[in-house]
Amino acid sequence: RINSCDEVPGGLDVHDSAAIAAYLEGCGLDAIHVSRAVHIRDEFMWAPTVTHGGFSASQVEEIKRAVSIPVITVGRYTEPQFAELMVKEGRCDLVAFGRQSLADPYMPLKAQEERLEDMIPCIACLQGCVANMYAGNPVCCLVNPFLGHEAEGIVPAEKAKKVMVIGGGVAGLCAAFIAQELLPCISLYQFLIYVLSNQCKRLFLQVLWMGNVHSCDLFLYLRFCLCRSTYSPELMKGIHIKRQII
């Protein structure tokens, strides 16, 4: 694995790395995995939400032209469309998905089956993965609460229950979706999801203003999870929640 460029004064640039890649191929390497930047340039090293996906595409393309062995690229890839385009255009041979594989390890299968709306998007929050990694704690994921608990599975409730989810934001949608998975006897009742007036619209405007379009992707994914169920939850809009209702 090599850097395409260090992104610091006096560090390696992509021309240096292309020459190094060609030399390494002559040494007998089977493939080269190309990353970017050093730790003082975290916008490339960890690529937070504000950094767009595939931000190293032009750099890895330069490396690809220098060698004939397979070149692997990485860098905030969260969706399969641009990754597939990179391979199709010959700009790289393989695309590595890092944090996206934590958010949704089945993403390649879903892409192959053209279930793009069913993919859990990585929102590049860095809170569950990188922060815990540095702290020496088990890695978790804010969009995939089952990460690290896959072997435990979801244990269905033994008795059907009525569930009221107040609020139609990301947390409310996620709670309702998980409740659907846990409660098999849904035909005995309906979920009641109370959405305050214009909350959905406000959420979209908020995340767009913050530049976090991927949070919108998460919101749309959770809505899809609810809508695809045979037993869709009852959606109650504009209701002021009072103790009498609960």
Side-chain angles (χ1 to χ4, degrees):
R1 189 175 190 183
I2 65 172
N3 253 354
S4 59
C5 49
D6 291 341
E7 299 290 353
V8 292
L12 298 176
D13 66 10
V14 69
H15 306 98
D16 299 319
S17 297
I20 293 172
Y23 171 78
L24 292 174
E25 179 182 18
C27 294
L29 264 64
D30 297 315
I32 294 178
H33 192 293
V34 182
S35 60
R36 182 176 178 179
V38 294
H39 279 283
I40 62 174
R41 296 298 303 272
D42 282 352
E43 68 270 30
F44 298 123
M45 173 61 68
W46 297 119
T49 300
V50 295
T51 303
H52 64 85
F55 58 88
S56 296
S58 58
Q59 282 79 9
V60 75
E61 184 179 3
E62 189 74 23
I63 305 295
K64 174 63 180 172
R65 284 198 293 261
V67 298
S68 57
I69 56 177
V71 173
I72 308 167
T73 184
V74 69
R76 184 86 169 83
Y77 287 96
T78 58
E79 299 174 343
Q81 294 93 332
F82 186 52
E84 185 176 12
L85 185 64
M86 287 285 292
V87 176
K88 183 179 179 180
E89 293 179 342
R91 303 170 73 182
C92 68
D93 299 284
L94 293 169
V95 176
F97 291 86
R99 287 170 291 171
Q100 178 59 42
S101 296
L102 300 178
D104 189 349
Y106 298 102
M107 190 276 289
L109 177 62
K110 293 176 180 179
Q112 184 180 29
E113 297 175 350
E114 298 184 354
R115 295 188 289 126
L116 301 183
E117 70 282 353
D118 196 19
M119 294 189 303
I120 307 174
C122 168
I123 60 174
C125 64
L126 302 174
Q127 296 181 54
C129 50
V130 175
N132 280 316
M133 179 182 68
Y134 273 113
N137 299 323
V139 170
C140 62
C141 180
L142 267 65
V143 302
N144 179 11
F146 301 107
L147 178 65
H149 303 279
E150 293 84 355
E152 301 171 14
I154 301 178
V155 180
E158 297 180 359
K159 182 180 179 180
K161 303 175 182 178
K162 291 184 178 180
V163 175
M164 173 186 287
V165 179
I166 301 174
V170 172
L173 289 175
C174 186
F177 163 57
I178 299 302
Q180 283 189 148
E181 300 292 325
L182 292 173
L183 299 169
C185 299
I186 191 173
S187 58
L188 300 178
Y189 56 87
Q190 287 183 311
F191 289 104
L192 300 178
I193 301 185
Y194 291 87
V195 183
L196 302 180
S197 294
N198 295 321
Q199 180 171 354
C200 297
K201 183 183 296 185
R202 287 201 303 270
L203 175 65
F204 274 103
L205 291 176
Q206 179 183 2
V207 295
L208 287 174
W209 178 78
M210 294 173 60
N212 191 353
V213 179
H214 293 281
S215 289
C216 289
D217 294 338
L218 175 61
F219 183 79
L220 293 174
Y221 162 74
L222 292 171
R223 288 194 62 181
F224 168 77
C225 289
L226 289 172
C227 294
R228 70 179 175 183
S229 173
T230 303
Y231 303 96
S232 297
E234 182 181 356
L235 185 62
M236 308 292 291
K237 294 185 178 180
I239 301 220
H240 182 66
I241 303 301
K242 297 181 180 180
R243 180 176 299 178
Q244 292 82 350
I245 297 178
I246 298 176

